[in-house]
Amino acid sequence: MPNPTSLRILSTVGNVDATETLVLGDEVDERLRELYAAPEPDWVRMNMIGSLNSRVTGPDGTSDTLSNRADRRILRLIREMSDAVVVGAQTVRQEQHTSTGSTWLCVVTASGDLSGHRISREDAVASVLVCCPADAVARVNETMPGANTVAIEPVDGRLPLDQVVATLHERGLRQLVVEGGNQLISQFLDEGRIDEVCLTQAPVFAPDSAPSLPGSGHGTSFARVLLAEDSLGYIYQRLFAR
């Protein structure tokens, strides 16, 4: 995986002429945490990477071949600062999801099919919460043994996000990062539940057959609060909902 040596801050809120260069050693994690700190106790981020042609996976069908070590470092820090990572079942299968460590993984699924992941039973017991219809619980137990389940009935084929978010809040999980898939993120956008977009643009063209970045039918508008570029030409943005 490409390994950039530095990250240059191009602009931040209130200072469009900001210039700061971070050498990407271990000692910059604290500064990166400051740059990516959530401004409110209850906060929902979307975090994704996209190519120049707005695709979210590379030739291997995962985001790994678009990403680099700086992007993964920021991903790791955002996860560490979050209480839960929220994903759909397709992302679990496509990305062959691994444990998110001390941060809870919340999977939203109508089918309950979580096959293809790389999460152990022990990690599933300790830190995976699956929101699914009652009739999908057996499939969850089959494909991710040990995972904690919460039954939520779908409305028009989708699990209501107000109930998903309320379920997480009831467990003290208030800082959330949504990482995919596209249908789930589009639902969050359409319902006005994304407070922040964290988007990395890779300086490559991905296969046209790869899935694209999610859309919203409501014309959601965001204001950029951080723009940075690493030494390999990857662009990093934070954008807040207007």
Side-chain angles (χ1 to χ4, degrees):
M1 184 175 288
N3 190 18
T5 58
S6 62
L7 182 71
R8 186 161 62 106
I9 310 304
L10 302 176
S11 67
T12 57
V13 164
N15 185 1
V16 295
D17 298 320
T19 55
E20 176 185 3
T21 299
L22 303 177
V23 178
L24 292 172
D26 293 340
E27 66 278 1
V28 301
D29 277 5
E30 183 176 351
R31 178 58 178 145
L32 289 173
R33 288 175 184 275
E34 292 172 355
L35 289 168
Y36 279 88
E40 302 289 343
D42 292 345
W43 197 249
V44 180
R45 311 179 199 244
M46 158 192 155
N47 188 36
M48 295 192 78
I49 187 170
S51 66
L52 291 173
N53 55 332
S54 300
R55 300 300 192 256
V56 297
T57 62
D60 69 341
T62 77
S63 61
D64 287 349
T65 44
L66 289 183
S67 188
N68 70 23
R69 295 196 183 281
D71 175 61
R72 290 294 165 170
R73 182 179 198 152
I74 291 170
L75 169 67
R76 172 179 60 81
L77 290 173
I78 289 174
R79 283 181 172 180
E80 289 177 358
M81 292 188 290
S82 301
D83 298 316
V85 175
V86 184
V87 297
Q90 182 180 359
T91 296
V92 171
R93 295 190 297 265
Q94 180 176 295
E95 296 283 337
Q96 300 178 1
H97 225 286
T98 60
S99 169
T100 50
S102 59
T103 303
W104 276 82
L105 177 66
C106 173
V107 185
V108 181
T109 175
S111 69
D113 181 7
L114 307 181
S115 55
H117 66 84
R118 293 173 288 168
I119 298 173
S120 69
R121 176 187 287 270
E122 292 75 17
D123 285 337
V125 170
S127 60
V128 177
L129 178 69
V130 181
C131 295
C132 64
D135 60 7
V137 170
R139 183 63 173 151
V140 172
N141 293 337
E142 177 186 346
T143 56
M144 189 181 287
N148 305 272
T149 58
V150 174
I152 297 177
E153 288 311 301
V155 176
D156 296 328
R158 289 178 161 185
L159 271 62
L161 292 183
D162 58 345
Q163 294 187 42
V164 173
V165 172
T167 295
L168 294 170
H169 284 183
E170 288 169 3
R171 289 160 172 76
L173 308 175
R174 313 194 75 87
Q175 296 276 329
L176 311 178
V177 55
V178 188
E179 296 183 358
N182 282 15
Q183 290 185 354
L184 182 63
I185 289 179
S186 291
Q187 185 181 355
F188 268 91
L189 287 168
D190 287 344
E191 295 186 17
R193 293 188 170 275
I194 296 290
D195 300 307
E196 173 186 350
V197 170
C198 294
L199 181 63
T200 302
Q201 184 185 65
V204 300
F205 284 93
D208 284 338
S209 58
S212 64
L213 287 166
S216 171
H218 292 246
T220 311
S221 178
F222 289 82
R224 190 168 62 204
V225 299
L226 173 68
L227 178 66
E229 179 184 22
D230 71 27
S231 56
L232 297 180
Y234 285 68
I235 300 294
Y236 303 82
Q237 298 186 77
R238 290 185 77 192
L239 305 106
F240 287 0
R242 294 183 186 274

